[in-house]
Structures are given as C-alpha cells and as structure tokens.
Amino acid sequence: MRLIEWRDRTAPLSAADAPFLALGNGRSHGDVCVNDGGTLLLTRGMDRLIAFDRGTGIVDCEAGILLGDLLHWCLPQGWMLPVVPGTRFITVGGAVANDVHGRNHRVAGSFGRHVLEMDLLRSTGEHLRIGPEEHADLFAATIGGLGLTGLITRVRLRMIPVSSDLMLTESIRFGHLDAVWDINDRLGAEWPYTIARIDCIARGRRLGRGVLVAGRHAPPQPAGTPVPRWRGRSRSLPFDMPFSLVNRHSVRAFNAVYYRAAPLPGRRLQHVHGHLFPLDRLRDWNRIYGRRGFYPYHCVLPHAHARDGVRTLLKRTAASAQGSFLAAMKTFGDLPAPGILSFPRPGVTLALDFANRGPRTLRLLADLDDIVSAAGGALDPGQDARMSVTMFRRGFPQWERFATLVDPAFSSTFWRRMNP
Amino acid sequence: MSATPRRIAIFGATSRIATETARLWLARGVALVVVARNPERLRMLTDDLGIRAGGLAEVDAVTADLADLDALPALWQSMTDRFPDLDGVLLAHGSLPDQARCEATPETMLHEIRVNALSAMSLLTVIANDFEARRRGIIAVIGSVAGDRGHRSNYVYGAAKGMLAIFLQGLRSRLHGSGVTVITLKPGFVITPMTQDFDRDGLLWVRPERVARGIVRAFERRRDVVYLPWFWRPILWATRLIPEPVFKRLSL
C-alpha cells in the first residue's frame, strides 16, 4: 500500500496512484480502511476549521479533523456534536463514511442526518459540492459509503447547543435480559443517551444481566457545585501483549466486578468525555488481545425479532465461553439514516468483541450470522473483516444502486471482498 | 526576564508541526504572526486559527518566500514595524531533500543547504540583533536529530541541520545574559507529509501533536537544546559514541 499524506483540500488526484482509499484515524476494526495493492490517502493532516457561525452552530471543517479536536474547541463555546460514537478519536470524514451512530440514536438518528453538505473530490478531477439538493444521489451514497465514492474534503455540520460540558448520568442494574427492555422504554423519554452493557458470559437465569447507563446534557450548575473536571489524561498500551489477556477467566472477573460495582440508582455529574468515551482512557486498548487481535461483531436486528434474536445471540455466545468484556446494546430509533449503505436502521444493535482464536471463533461467528440472518438483521461493514457476500447483500439490499455511484478509481479491500 | 512571549512569529507556519504548535499557543492566548510562502495555504491556516481562537487571540499572516535570502532583513523590519511587541520566533521552515538528487548535482545540494540552513541563519542574524537590542525575546529553531551525525541516507539534510545547530550554539552563548533565549529543537521521526515515503511503523515514530507540545513546553521552560520526544537524547548520545571506523559501515 502506497501512502500519500493529504494535507491540501484543493489538491488534485493523480490517476497513476489508483485505486485510492481515504484513511482517517484508522479506527475501523475491519478492512473497510485497508486497500491492499492500492493507495491510502492519509487525511489526518487535512484538519482545518473553515467557517463557523456562532449563532446557528453550523461549522465547516476539513474531513481529517478528529471529533475530539472539534469537541475540544466547540464544547467551551456551548456547542456539541449532535452524534458521537464510543470514541472521539475518529475523523469527521470517517464518521460520515461509516454513518456512525451514538447512544442517542433514538432522538438524533445517525451522524449523516446532521451533515448539510460536503465537498467530494472525484477521480475525474471534479470537485463536487454535494448535498440533499445538489448531486443528491452522490450525497446519499457518500454518507455511509465507506469512502468509496471519492475523497471527502469538506463537511458542513449542524451542531447542537449545550449549556455545559457536563452530563447528568444514571446507571441501573438489571439481573437478566428480560428486565432491560422495560427499563429502556422507561428511560427512553427522559434520557437521550442510553446504552446497556451486557455480561455476555453470564448464563441461565442471569443470561443478559448488565447495567443500563443513561445520560443527558446537564443544565448549568449553580455556583459552588463541585463539578467533575476533565483532565484529559489517558494511559496507553505501548505494544501488543504477547498473548491475549482476554480469556474466560479475566472476562468473568471483569464483568462480575463491573456488574456489582454499578452504583445503585442515583444520579451523578460526569464530564461529556468521561461519560461518552470511557474506552478512550486506555489508548490502543485493542493490544490487550495480543498479536492475533480480535473480531468485532456488530449487528442490528429489526424490532420485530429483536428480543428473541438478542436472547439467542447471547445464549450462543455464553455457551461458547468466548465472549469478551461487556457487550453493548443500544436501541435504534425510527429516524431514517440518509445513506444508501447506512448501517443504522430501526431495531436493536448489539456489539460483541471476540478474541481471535482461529477456526473456533470463526465457527461461532458463522453461527451468529445464521441468527442475525434469520432475524432479518445486518452486520456493520465498518467493523467487519469476515462477513460473507450473501450476508452483505442481504443486509444492504440497495448495494447495486450504491455500486453505480462508486468512484471507479476508489476501492478498498472490503469492497473487493464483497465484489469477487 | 519575561514569561511566555506575548506575540510569536512562526516562519514556515503551514507545516504540520508548526500548525499544531500554533493551535496550542492560541489556546494559551498568545498572539501569532504566521509566515509562509503559499498564500492559499496560509489563508486556510489563518481561517482555522481564527475560528479556534474565537476572538480571544490575534492571528496575522505574512506571505514571504524564505528562500529569498536578500529579502529577509526587510521582511523582519516590516514585521516589527507592524508588530512592535513581537518577542518570540519559531523557525519551522525547511524541506527534507531527496538525498540521491543531492548527490547527483551540486545545484540541488546547494539549494537544500540554502533552504534548511542559510535561510534560517540569515533571518537569525537580523532577529538576534533586534532582540539583543531590546534585551528580550525567545528564538527557537527546528533542527533535527539528523544534524547530530552524518548518515549516508541523508547527510545533506544532516549537514544543513548540523550547521544550524552549531550556529545556534554560538548565538546562544553570545546572547547569554542579554535576556534573549535561544532554543534548538531536535525532532526525531515525525509522521508528517515530509516523511510519507518512509516505513513509519515502530515506537520511534510520533505524531506532530506530540512534538508541538514539546515545543510549547520548551518555550515555557526556556530550554537550550530539546530532543523531541525526549528519548532521542540518549539514542543520539549513544549514536555519537560509535567510533567512526565502525559507524561508516552502518547503513544508517
């Protein structure tokens, strides 16, 4: 793979280096950000703010800017990104290309819903302004388009006003899967941000036990209130562990402690970062899985089959004893995602991680595929390194329309895998 | 002796390291004068810095070709006329030459020496006298670990940065006691457009943000010679200890 640092949003593409693929901060755990034999356009250096309207909260920025960088600048001014995923170490371009979602999907939808327009560099040399009105087809293909429609250079976003950088949060423990749905419904109206952390090792009566974590932006605190400060400190794993530290014993111990340590119902104040990005405190956390790494398994099941489907998935995972730390379960609301290939859709999404134990793990994932397919669900391409072509086409029935909008000089290892 | 300067001029401001440093300084309320050759890229930079500053710090731009050595005295004069309170400079301009082309033709070699050493030394001659007369200021220059010893892979670049380092040593000594601080910054392997053709895996490669934090710290602490990150200091110390008969055999 040839690398080109893409610093200048007005620079032209040179056809000799095709096929191209943009690489932002490389946090997709799959091959959507890999381009074997081709060229990666590294966008991290293209990270400037272009314009900002402090009255409306509409910001124009280059595609390589990190969400964390935006937050660092906009939160003190009373503006917040409308949608953030579980890490702030991704670029805006990556957030668009994967049409990422957050804990507030029920009320905010996916990231792409808040994109007003973009500039897209095509290999034809055209630098197109695309939006819901201009080149609407290309706009819909670029949101969630896995970087295949060209190079996103500029993104115009609408942010939401917040009155502080604090969140009011609440954690509620549930002893088994059935209990979570009611809590979820009850909290849903009042708390825009919710996520259920599930112990995917627990079996039997405790199947699907976990902690529901809810949050909402806090009002300004009266003077003198002790408020949590964000120190921005994080630890990092400097190198791959010699072997995976994730095994049934460590996972069982961690999950049990997490479950028991969850505070009794009660509210507390947390900084936005501390609440929404807990994993960002351990940089390069993926290294705990050792050199062989891990397989993420992020699926969505439509509402009609969600409860049974999640139960079956958790049963199979628990029986395998391969499950990893806390699975994440979130509800997707009915707000439609604007991308042709967008992953978020009405239903329930479950995110599991599995240490790579070779064929044993792949067999388990194939079983999970059957459950997801039977429920009419889909897998997230942004977090995939192994789904079958059939699985992809079933999950994304508009893939043929999407394919017509792909830039002929752009490709990825994922895209070639899906189009053998 | 004053603390962090109030207004800093950054030469070669559109480089990755300089841009990151500028953002950090703005967040600390330092006013900036950014200097670069390409007006379009300079405008993109000032737009970015202006929005980030949110009206809390001033950002001004000056377009100049720093390889035009004859024009440098007038450039500095015009800058201090416009901004009499300039009391810090960061020289970040330079290029990483193609070593093979430098070996092939003297013109290329001389051009690289001009861009990476003579330009900075010309500018410093003017700035140093100015700061010395005003008995204040911080001068910081981005050198390189490549300037600590000649390597077959990049000795033209290394020679330029080495010349610069020795020039700064002398200047630092001359200005000692005058209230002017001279800082030599020596970054190692940094992930920037300048190094895109290298295999950049490994623990020694760092992001420009980290180098920028080191530069801001060096200003605050008024250091003399700073390796960025710190681990290059012992590495270079060890490298310099290798006897020449052995070193010449190493394919570094």
Side-chain angles (χ1 to χ4, degrees):
Chain A
M1 274 188 288
R2 192 181 135 77
L3 307 180
I4 300 181
E5 291 262 3
W6 209 263
R7 181 118 169 83
D8 193 343
R9 67 174 182 268
T10 57
L13 277 169
S14 150
D17 299 314
F20 302 107
L21 182 69
L23 175 68
N25 210 32
R27 296 303 166 111
S28 291
H29 300 294
D31 54 2
V32 292
C33 63
V34 182
N35 193 13
D36 281 316
T39 298
L40 287 177
L41 309 174
L42 309 181
T43 63
R44 275 297 307 284
M46 183 171 65
D47 67 344
R48 304 171 190 91
L49 295 169
I50 300 168
F52 176 55
D53 182 333
R54 62 179 63 238
T56 57
I58 292 175
V59 63
D60 277 81
C61 59
E62 293 181 340
I65 193 168
L66 292 183
L67 299 190
D69 196 6
L70 276 175
L71 289 171
H72 181 74
W73 157 77
C74 70
L75 271 175
Q77 312 202 36
W79 294 99
M80 167 79 189
L81 289 169
V83 170
V84 291
T87 173
R88 63 188 193 284
F89 299 132
I90 67 163
T91 63
V92 166
V96 171
N98 291 281
D99 198 12
V100 298
H101 62 269
R103 300 178 182 187
N104 60 346
H105 187 279
R106 283 172 299 111
V107 295
S110 64
F111 192 88
R113 287 185 65 90
H114 308 275
V115 175
L116 304 177
E117 65 171 46
M118 294 186 269
D119 285 344
L120 185 70
L121 183 62
R122 301 273 283 180
S123 65
T124 52
E126 297 167 291
H127 207 168
L128 301 174
R129 175 178 298 184
I130 61 174
E133 262 100 54
E134 281 171 287
H135 300 285
D137 257 18
L138 213 42
F139 185 65
T142 300
I143 294 174
L146 307 174
L148 297 166
T149 59
L151 179 69
I152 305 169
T153 54
R154 178 186 64 98
V155 178
R156 174 174 290 176
L157 283 175
R158 189 195 299 277
M159 299 196 285
I160 56 167
V162 288
S163 46
S164 75
D165 55 6
L166 299 174
M167 298 189 75
L168 197 57
T169 70
E170 179 156 339
S171 298
I172 299 174
R173 216 149 66 174
F174 49 92
H176 57 91
L177 189 62
D178 293 333
V180 71
W181 307 110
D182 295 335
I183 305 174
N184 205 13
D185 291 346
R186 186 154 51 78
L187 287 182
E190 217 184 327
W191 301 83
Y193 297 86
T194 55
I195 183 170
R197 298 278 181 197
I198 293 178
D199 178 354
C200 50
I201 289 274
R203 312 168 63 159
R205 278 190 303 116
R206 289 180 182 156
L207 182 81
R209 71 170 177 178
V211 180
L212 195 108
V213 183
R216 63 177 188 232
H217 292 288
Q221 300 302 307
T225 315
V227 294
R229 306 279 302 252
W230 178 252
R231 272 195 279 274
R233 274 200 206 124
S234 60
R235 291 169 195 283
S236 78
L237 286 174
F239 44 79
D240 291 337
M241 297 296 114
F243 53 86
S244 174
L245 302 183
V246 183
N247 56 54
R248 72 174 80 176
H249 306 294
S250 66
V251 170
R252 190 182 305 278
F254 178 89
N255 285 0
V257 167
Y258 184 88
Y259 178 74
R260 300 225 160 74
L264 295 169
R267 293 175 183 187
R268 61 183 183 128
L269 282 172
Q270 267 186 301
H271 191 274
V272 165
H273 290 7
H275 182 64
L276 295 176
F277 312 117
L279 261 181
D280 284 352
R281 277 184 230 179
L282 184 63
R283 281 178 293 137
D284 303 319
W285 54 266
N286 50 304
R287 286 176 160 155
I288 62 169
Y289 287 97
R291 289 197 63 83
R292 304 193 62 178
F294 74 102
Y295 285 105
Y297 194 86
H298 294 194
C299 61
V300 56
L301 306 177
H303 283 300
H305 303 289
R307 295 188 182 201
D308 288 346
V310 170
R311 167 178 297 281
T312 320
L313 285 168
L314 287 176
K315 262 190 185 165
R316 179 68 186 88
T317 303
S320 77
Q322 291 192 59
S324 182
F325 303 117
L326 308 169
M329 190 171 83
K330 283 167 293 194
T331 309
F332 283 156
D334 296 328
L335 295 170
I340 299 176
L341 224 57
S342 288
F343 168 70
R345 60 200 71 188
V348 170
T349 174
L350 185 67
L352 302 154
D353 293 340
F354 297 96
N356 176 14
R357 296 190 177 93
R360 204 151 73 84
T361 306
L362 290 173
R363 270 200 303 278
L364 167 66
L365 298 185
D367 286 356
L368 300 184
D369 284 350
D370 293 340
I371 301 166
V372 171
S373 287
L379 292 183
D380 184 353
Q383 307 289 338
D384 175 78
R386 49 147 295 278
M387 80 164 99
S388 68
V389 176
T390 321
M391 190 86 188
F392 173 69
R393 292 182 178 175
R394 259 196 227 145
F396 300 87
Q398 293 210 69
W399 67 274
E400 278 172 303
R401 180 177 157 225
F402 173 79
T404 63
L405 293 159
V406 167
D407 187 307
F410 279 70
S411 185
S412 65
T413 301
F414 173 83
W415 189 240
R416 290 188 288 275
R417 190 157 61 81
M418 290 304 124
N419 294 275
Chain B
M1 212 183 270
S2 63
T4 302
R6 278 184 317 192
R7 191 185 299 273
I8 301 177
I10 306 179
F11 293 85
T14 55
S15 87
R16 277 287 269 147
I17 292 175
T19 298
E20 291 300 333
T21 312
R23 289 170 177 168
L24 293 177
W25 273 331
L26 272 189
R28 286 161 172 74
V30 179
L32 298 176
V33 181
V34 289
V35 187
R37 187 183 47 192
N38 183 325
E40 172 70 2
R41 288 179 78 171
L42 195 56
R43 194 186 52 75
M44 290 187 205
L45 174 66
T46 48
D47 285 351
D48 172 80
L49 295 176
I51 298 169
R52 285 174 196 256
L56 295 177
E58 288 174 55
V59 183
D60 291 281
V62 173
T63 309
D65 180 2
L66 301 176
D68 181 2
L69 304 191
D70 296 336
L72 295 179
L75 170 67
W76 180 252
Q77 184 63 51
S78 70
M79 286 171 64
T80 48
D81 287 348
R82 223 175 124 193
F83 309 103
D85 60 344
L86 259 181
D87 55 356
V89 291
L90 171 66
L91 271 55
H93 60 293
S95 74
L96 184 62
D98 178 340
Q99 172 69 19
R101 287 185 52 217
C102 288
E103 288 171 19
T105 59
E107 288 80 11
T108 311
M109 186 274 290
L110 288 173
H111 173 74
E112 295 299 341
I113 297 284
R114 171 187 291 267
V115 169
N116 285 303
L118 300 183
S119 167
M121 286 158 59
S122 302
L123 202 47
L124 288 171
T125 302
V126 184
I127 296 171
N129 291 341
D130 190 14
F131 279 8
E132 187 181 32
R134 291 194 275 154
R135 301 195 65 76
R136 61 174 298 172
I138 300 185
I139 293 169
V141 184
I142 299 187
S144 170
V145 294
D148 278 20
R149 195 158 187 182
H151 302 267
R152 67 171 76 166
S153 59
N154 65 356
Y155 62 82
V156 174
Y157 179 71
K161 292 297 194 183
M163 169 159 45
L164 197 48
I166 290 178
F167 182 91
L168 290 168
Q169 260 178 357
L171 188 64
R172 178 178 306 119
S173 176
R174 176 189 135 197
L175 296 179
H176 176 69
S178 73
V180 183
T181 302
V182 177
I183 306 172
T184 309
L185 304 159
K186 295 186 178 181
F189 299 156
V190 190
I191 300 174
T192 67
M194 199 169 91
T195 57
Q196 69 176 5
D197 295 325
F198 288 70
D199 174 14
R200 302 190 290 194
D201 274 345
L203 293 174
L204 297 179
W205 286 92
V206 299
R207 299 211 59 90
E209 295 88 327
R210 181 161 176 196
V211 174
R213 286 196 296 272
I215 294 175
V216 171
R217 208 179 310 123
F219 267 73
E220 284 165 359
R221 298 183 187 169
R222 298 194 164 232
R223 299 275 302 278
D224 293 328
V225 179
V226 182
Y227 287 84
L228 297 169
W230 61 271
F231 53 72
W232 286 100
R233 189 181 290 273
I235 293 175
L236 268 300
W237 174 79
T239 308
R240 283 192 304 268
L241 287 184
I242 302 171
E244 195 66 15
V246 178
F247 194 79
K248 73 180 180 191
R249 292 180 167 82
L250 303 177
S251 57
L252 291 171

